[in-house]
Amino acid sequence: MNQNWPRLSALIDEAMELPLIEQRAFVAAQTDGDPDFQAAAFHFIDSLHSGLTGFMRTGAMGTDAPDRPAPLGEGERIGVWAIKSLIGEGGMGRVYAVERVEGGFTQAGALKLNDALPGTDLLVMTQERQVLADLDHPSIARILDGGGLPDGSSWMVMERIDGPTIDRWCADHKLGLEDRVKLVLAAADGLAQAHARLVLHRDLKPSNILVDPMGQPRLIDFGIARRIGSLEAAGPERLSLAYAAPELVEGLSVGPASDVYGMAQVLHELLTGHPAARRSGLPAGIASAVDGEAPVAINRAALLPDIARGAPSALLDDVAAVLSLALRSDPAARYPTIDAFASDLRRALAGRAVEARADEPGYRFRRWLMRFKWPVAGAAAIALSLTGGLGAALWQAREAKAARDAAVVEADRTEAVRQSLFLVLGESTEAAGPDGTRKDVLDRASERLTREFARDPAQYAPVLKALGELYFHSNDYPGAIGLLKPVASLPLAPTTAPTTKVPPEVIAEAKVDLAQVYLRTGEPEQARAMLTAAQAFWASDPARWQSDMIESRLAEAQIVRDLDKDPPRAAAILRRALADRIAMSGPANRDVAIFQNNLGNVLSAMGLHDEAAASFRQAQATWAAIGASETPDAMNTLNNLAASEVLAGRPKAAVPQFAEAVRLRRALFGPSAALAALINNNAKALLLSSDAAQALPLAREATAMARDFAGEGSMLHAASAAGLSEALLATGQAKDALATAQSGHRAALQTSGAGTPPEIVALIALARANAATGSQDAARSQLANAQKGVAAMGPGGARLNDAIRDIRQRYKL
Amino acid sequence: MAHSDDTSEDVRVLVEALYPQLRMIAGALSSRFGSPETLRSTALISEVFLKLRRSPRFADEQHFLRTAARAMRQVLVNHARSRVAQRRGGGAVVLPLDDDVPVFWQSDAELIALDDALGALEGMDARLAAVVECRFFGGYDDQETGRLLGLTDRTVRRDWVKARALLRTLLEDGELPGAE
């Protein structure tokens, strides 16, 4: 063979380490005195740099494949489209920039000319194209035109997206973790619509998702998209193996979960720079099939440098878990739909428990706690939205527009509060043991903080108040009162020197918190006393406490509605406050959405159902605009919107809305008083739609849950029990219906007292059950009593009067 | 890596497995040349591997991939040789062929010449030839090739350039540089 080769090879290796222009000089020096060897070395060096580019290049070879004709030139036409230039060339054909000039305007498009394939059925292709053309979503590039050519090739024109691929775009904009996830979510939206139309994409990868100048991701190239159900194996040659789900590579049956895999690979690449499973060094298609069950390892070290720095650990862990589930090699083990995948990503972004980690011990509780750690509006404060039933209020970091100094102090304090509360909660979690429920933990923390507060009020008042807000958030009103009352009862006298070292604004906040609680427990007088005192304090320095004052108008309006029975004045207060709020923060703001929601409630109480629905829809739009559609507040809005349909006499329209709200709330937050209220509403809507069979199990669940979370005899419990009794009657179980109504009424009477709304609601249910079981006299007198009570309730009692009238007619009383 | 006698038997098994696959997807592959994101061989090998992965013979993926690259080379070259032989109306037909099997290389003659040149290279520098087998016939990238051969990415990149320069010189000049 060639004895000189080892020597030559070593010399070339050394030379190749050097810059190009120095290589010849290096070789010359090293081979001085050996002209033959020098000539061979020069020859080799030259051969390295001349014309090797295309030689044996994998992937790049064969561009002049014999069966593909020369590209079309500028000005040539296909259909009404004029070729501008060749944009790209792929395995299936070429893509041209094209333009249609017609009627004086120009339309730009991207024309994909597929190679003629033997056995292609043009009719089938036309049908496929029609399916794609029907997709209309901001995240999908629209199909504009298409057809076949005599040689059997086919063409399709789609919108020309003026933008880079999604990975390029993320890199150019140095997007962080959260924004990358959001971008994939936007693309997933479009994909979900395609799936709803039974179209799979099947070739998802970064180069098939472009981002337009508005920042909207656009899915292109449903080139191998097939209708679900009309699938045939396309073979691996048409796939991008690194991104394709194993079942696509194996030619097994594919479904929405295959696109879940593809979309997850795109996100994986956006986060780490490559699709998953490359780590083993195997071609990805093989690796994912071999060890796809191993969890996808994304840690900080694996992230692209742009996002590694700012990525919150909790979010990173959740996203990694979501990807791990979405990239399972068994399609049945993945998220079944792109929506399920997207929802879990949204939960991760919102700091809520993701389904992918639901099995981890203690995970849900930790995530629940985490939600209270968010920095909000520039101040690391405890963000709590206090919601429930038909009313909402908000406590969050105070915006510092009018009071920078106050905000700084507030931020410092809330940070300290957060630390203390976390310390206490953390220790209580430990003390409660591994099986401790959320309530066990809160109760332990509550006991301990109450003791600390007695010892050192100044330090522990804010912590106690914060814990009270947590209780409120959990719909535990008695617990919230126990914690808030000690702080709210401290003297608050803005004009005189404080008698304790507890900051007066903390006391004011505790008072308004407590007012909210009293509104929920049906004690509006107490609520007014608390609110009035707090407002008097804020009025002493209106500029500084502007935000607090505006927020307090929510509670004020509810008190005016409940106590003064004056919905018009309540609505006026809310409208003025809404205008103030928008002026303060702009329209796309959480507080604005809450105001719109509450305005709807007041309108609803006034009987203006269509106006109420319009206000709820505005609130929904605002929730969507700020990306908060899956928050408790947004779910309340959805509930309220459905309720307004019921009140407007369209219960059938409300059923699916309630069902969706129940589904979301159950999945995201689990059992609570608010969920009980929703289920109860769902059951009511079904009853009104004459679907008692479906209503019955829901009414049963709502009643049990209301008893556990809102308390026996509470308004919610009374209403749920009344609904259950009605459902039992409608399904022919009169005896059980009577027993349920009796125990519901007894509880309401004991807990809330005669003549209170819960007692009246329970009384009407009892009258109905009595009438249905033949006790006409008892029913008659109970209805008469109920009517007196309803008259005292003002306009809010109109619905109850309707119920009384219906029972009288039905049973001829 | 497995013993050489095992390997040759494994290559035979894979050639048998690859060949029908090759015919099945050949039509699509032939129009797939030129796609920068498609490694045609990888597609083929992935497909075959998925069918064979439960066979104990190929439980070790590295062994499989290394063998597959060799088998791929054999399939393609045999294929080309037999086409040429058919056209000439005789010669050693290694595998039975049908006329509908399309051309995989720009010309069969070129592929056969490349295989011969690779044979010559094997005698001179086995490592370079192995890199060519993995990179070109296997369709693996630098990283994968490096892992299979126990080389760094950097070495694979360098070897790949050197090997191509040598092969082209051989194909054009009919002799290797440095020959005396």
Side-chain angles (χ1 to χ4, degrees):
Chain A
M1 274 285 128
N2 192 319
Q3 296 92 359
N4 277 334
W5 172 247
R7 187 181 159 208
L8 179 58
S9 180
L11 177 68
I12 297 299
D13 286 354
E14 277 188 77
M16 283 173 79
E17 298 293 316
L18 300 171
L20 216 59
I21 49 167
E22 294 171 22
Q23 290 182 1
R24 266 187 91 88
F26 172 78
V27 168
Q30 295 290 313
T31 57
D32 197 26
D34 187 347
D36 286 349
F37 186 65
Q38 189 172 64
F42 278 151
H43 182 80
F44 198 146
I45 284 283
D46 292 344
S47 74
L48 289 176
H49 303 307
S50 57
L52 261 192
T53 320
F55 179 66
M56 293 178 69
R57 276 281 292 275
T58 52
M61 63 184 176
T63 44
D64 51 351
D67 55 347
R68 183 174 294 173
L72 297 170
E74 189 179 346
E76 288 192 65
R77 290 173 78 94
I78 288 183
V80 298
W81 300 88
I83 304 289
K84 301 294 291 177
S85 61
L86 180 65
I87 301 177
E89 180 146 5
M92 299 302 295
R94 296 191 175 103
V95 182
Y96 297 92
V98 292
E99 251 176 26
R100 167 157 72 180
V101 182
E102 217 176 38
F105 73 95
T106 307
Q107 186 177 21
L111 185 147
K112 191 173 179 192
L113 182 58
N114 289 317
D115 294 332
L117 288 175
T120 305
D121 185 337
L122 280 180
L123 179 65
V124 170
M125 298 220 42
T126 308
Q127 288 167 345
E128 299 285 358
R129 199 166 50 238
Q130 191 52 48
V131 171
L132 297 180
D134 288 344
L135 297 178
D136 182 20
H137 191 278
S139 295
I140 299 177
R142 278 181 310 125
I143 305 292
L144 304 173
D145 197 3
L149 295 179
D151 67 353
S153 57
S154 64
W155 56 277
M156 194 184 283
V157 180
M158 61 185 161
E159 266 183 285
R160 197 153 89 216
I161 310 299
D162 182 19
T165 59
I166 192 168
D167 50 333
R168 184 77 248 156
W169 201 85
C170 285
D172 289 349
H173 290 76
K174 295 196 175 1
L175 289 192
L177 173 61
E178 201 174 332
D179 287 336
R180 288 177 196 232
V181 172
K182 282 182 181 165
L183 209 54
V184 165
L185 280 172
D189 257 7
L191 193 60
Q193 199 227 33
H195 286 184
R197 307 273 176 93
L198 303 180
V199 179
L200 298 175
H201 189 287
R202 310 201 335 146
D203 194 20
L204 291 164
K205 54 186 169 179
S207 60
N208 272 343
I209 306 176
L210 306 181
V211 182
D212 71 18
M214 306 296 290
Q216 172 76 40
R218 311 290 298 270
L219 293 166
I220 60 164
D221 208 359
F222 278 77
I224 59 170
R226 291 289 163 84
R227 297 204 63 179
I228 298 170
S230 68
L231 295 172
E232 55 183 76
E237 76 284 357
R238 303 174 73 188
L239 302 171
S240 313
L241 279 176
Y243 304 94
E247 67 272 19
L248 277 163
V249 180
E250 294 195 61
L252 303 176
S253 74
V254 302
S258 310
D259 277 353
V260 168
Y261 186 98
M263 198 56 103
Q265 281 292 39
V266 170
L267 180 56
H268 192 282
E269 170 143 1
L270 293 185
L271 302 186
T272 65
H274 55 79
R278 300 293 291 180
R279 67 192 184 283
S280 68
L282 297 169
I286 294 177
S288 58
V290 172
D291 59 3
E293 296 314 311
V296 174
I298 296 188
N299 49 37
R300 196 167 293 276
L303 292 180
L304 291 168
D306 274 355
I307 52 179
R309 281 181 295 276
S313 296
L315 177 59
L316 181 58
D317 290 347
D318 283 350
V319 169
V322 170
L323 285 180
S324 199
L325 187 57
L327 291 171
R328 298 285 284 272
S329 66
D330 176 8
R334 283 174 224 146
Y335 295 97
T337 65
I338 197 75
D339 277 334
F341 169 65
S343 296
D344 228 12
L345 280 178
R346 285 198 187 91
R347 278 192 279 275
L349 285 180
R352 304 197 188 288
V354 297
E355 291 296 316
R357 299 178 67 185
D359 295 342
E360 286 178 35
Y363 167 73
R364 276 180 188 277
F365 184 70
R366 288 201 308 279
R367 266 305 162 273
W368 179 79
L369 284 180
M370 285 293 288
R371 286 170 42 211
F372 302 104
K373 281 180 81 173
W374 287 354
V376 178
I382 296 173
L384 285 177
S385 71
L386 305 182
T387 61
L390 289 175
L394 174 76
W395 270 254
Q396 69 171 32
R398 313 302 186 216
E399 288 184 50
K401 287 207 166 91
R404 280 175 204 285
D405 294 347
V408 171
V409 173
E410 173 76 11
D412 287 351
R413 193 178 58 232
T414 49
E415 176 60 18
V417 168
R418 190 173 70 78
Q419 298 290 354
S420 306
L421 189 53
F422 255 74
L423 194 67
V424 172
L425 282 175
E427 287 168 5
S428 303
T429 307
E430 223 159 88
D435 298 329
T437 64
R438 176 165 118 171
K439 184 149 174 53
D440 293 340
V441 173
L442 287 178
D443 288 349
R444 273 172 196 275
S446 167
E447 268 170 45
R448 185 175 148 195
L449 278 176
T450 306
R451 278 199 310 274
E452 301 281 4
F453 173 74
R455 190 175 57 77
D456 184 353
Q459 190 185 340
Y460 283 95
V463 187
L464 205 59
K465 178 177 81 73
L467 189 61
E469 289 165 355
L470 275 181
Y471 268 85
F472 187 105
H473 193 69
S474 313
N475 303 106
D476 183 339
Y477 306 137
I481 292 174
L483 287 159
L484 291 170
K485 217 171 178 175
V487 184
S489 308
L490 293 170
L492 179 62
T495 50
T496 59
T499 51
T500 68
K501 284 184 180 155
V502 178
E505 62 270 26
V506 173
I507 303 174
E509 286 162 14
K511 280 184 187 295
V512 82
D513 284 357
L514 197 53
Q516 285 285 331
V517 180
Y518 283 140
L519 274 173
R520 298 297 183 288
T521 57
E523 298 164 273
E525 293 93 343
Q526 302 263 40
R528 172 163 282 169
M530 286 292 148
L531 186 71
T532 308
Q535 286 182 328
F537 166 74
W538 292 322
S540 67
D541 191 348
R544 186 171 172 193
W545 307 116
Q546 185 195 3
S547 174
D548 302 73
M549 190 64 104
I550 294 176
E551 283 168 22
S552 77
R553 301 293 180 201
L554 296 168
E556 186 184 334
Q558 290 170 69
I559 293 168
V560 166
R561 186 187 69 180
D562 292 356
L563 197 58
D564 301 341
K565 322 288 183 208
D566 193 351
R569 189 157 68 86
I573 292 170
L574 282 175
R575 279 200 200 91
R576 195 176 59 238
L578 177 58
D580 289 348
R581 199 69 196 73
I582 291 176
M584 198 171 161
S585 62
N589 187 285
R590 194 184 168 78
D591 305 73
V592 171
I594 290 172
F595 270 99
Q596 285 161 336
N597 179 74
N598 280 15
L599 187 56
N601 287 333
V602 175
L603 291 167
S604 190
M606 293 165 67
L608 302 170
H609 304 304
D610 290 332
E611 289 85 345
S615 194
F616 292 133
R617 289 203 179 89
Q618 283 173 357
Q620 267 190 321
T622 310
W623 290 126
I626 60 172
S629 291
E630 288 194 357
T631 59
D633 309 282
M635 272 171 246
N636 281 344
T637 300
L638 183 59
N639 167 65
N640 296 348
L641 179 58
S644 71
E645 294 283 6
V646 173
L647 296 174
R650 297 185 289 265
K652 277 198 165 69
V655 167
Q657 290 171 340
F658 277 132
E660 171 65 4
V662 167
R663 188 189 65 75
L664 271 175
R665 190 163 198 119
R666 194 193 296 275
L668 294 175
F669 305 106
S672 67
L675 180 59
L678 265 183
I679 298 173
N680 182 44
N681 287 345
N682 195 0
K684 280 273 166 61
L686 282 163
L687 269 178
L688 290 168
S689 311
S690 307
D691 194 348
Q694 288 222 51
L696 183 60
L698 291 177
R700 224 185 269 286
E701 186 185 9
T703 306
M705 203 182 285
R707 189 185 52 229
D708 291 350
F709 289 88
E712 197 157 19
S714 65
M715 180 67 198
L716 186 55
H717 180 243
S720 305
L724 177 56
S725 170
E726 198 178 341
L728 286 164
L729 272 184
T731 50
Q733 304 169 69
K735 216 174 131 199
D736 287 351
L738 181 60
T740 300
Q742 281 168 338
S743 76
H745 182 251
R746 204 162 37 239
L749 197 61
Q750 277 170 9
T751 312
S752 302
T756 58
E759 193 266 339
I760 294 169
V761 166
L763 192 59
I764 293 170
L766 184 57
R768 182 191 291 112
N770 273 325
T773 49
S775 306
Q776 309 296 326
D777 290 342
R780 223 173 262 125
S781 85
Q782 281 158 353
L783 287 180
N785 273 335
Q787 198 166 18
K788 273 182 228 153
V790 170
M793 288 168 68
R799 300 276 309 163
L800 296 176
N801 264 332
D802 292 347
I804 292 171
R805 197 189 55 235
D806 288 349
I807 295 170
R808 281 184 173 144
Q809 279 176 0
R810 168 138 192 217
Y811 298 102
K812 303 190 171 51
L813 297 174
Chain B
M1 198 173 288
H3 298 298
S4 60
D5 48 341
D6 289 350
T7 302
S8 61
E9 172 62 10
D10 290 349
V11 170
R12 194 190 61 74
V13 170
L14 273 181
V15 166
E16 277 174 15
L18 278 168
Y19 190 74
Q21 294 302 319
L22 186 73
R23 286 194 43 213
M24 234 175 60
I25 64 174
L29 278 181
S30 68
S31 64
R32 201 59 183 152
F33 280 6
S35 163
E37 65 215 355
T38 301
L39 299 168
R40 61 198 177 95
S41 302
T42 308
L44 189 54
I45 290 172
S46 298
E47 165 109 333
V48 172
F49 179 74
L50 290 166
K51 304 256 188 287
L52 291 182
R53 67 182 174 194
R54 285 186 185 85
S55 146
R57 186 184 288 279
F58 297 114
D60 173 1
E61 292 110 42
Q62 291 205 39
H63 170 57
F64 167 81
L65 289 172
R66 183 68 193 88
T67 311
R70 182 156 299 159
M72 193 72 195
R73 173 181 168 191
Q74 226 180 82
V75 167
L76 291 173
V77 173
N78 287 347
H79 175 202
R81 283 189 202 281
S82 54
R83 277 181 65 97
V84 170
Q86 267 192 338
R87 274 201 295 274
R88 286 178 190 148
V93 177
V94 180
L95 285 167
L97 269 181
D98 296 313
D99 281 340
D100 60 348
V101 180
V103 182
F104 265 85
W105 185 241
Q106 290 173 29
S107 85
D108 290 338
E110 269 181 62
L111 185 59
I112 293 166
L114 178 71
D115 183 56
D116 289 344
L118 194 54
L121 185 62
E122 251 155 14
M124 190 169 92
D125 190 328
R127 192 179 84 193
L128 290 191
V131 167
V132 171
E133 231 167 41
C134 288
R135 282 291 271 105
F136 185 70
F137 289 104
Y140 312 140
D141 64 17
D142 292 336
Q143 268 186 318
E144 288 157 359
T145 302
R147 223 177 63 89
L148 294 176
L149 300 180
L151 305 173
T152 64
D153 297 4
R154 190 186 174 80
T155 304
V156 171
R157 273 194 295 278
R158 203 184 52 210
D159 281 359
W160 178 226
V161 174
K162 278 164 68 184
R164 281 189 299 149
L166 283 171
L167 286 172
R168 201 183 50 156
T169 308
L170 252 175
L171 288 171
E172 283 173 2
D173 305 347
E175 61 176 24
L176 290 165
E180 302 196 50

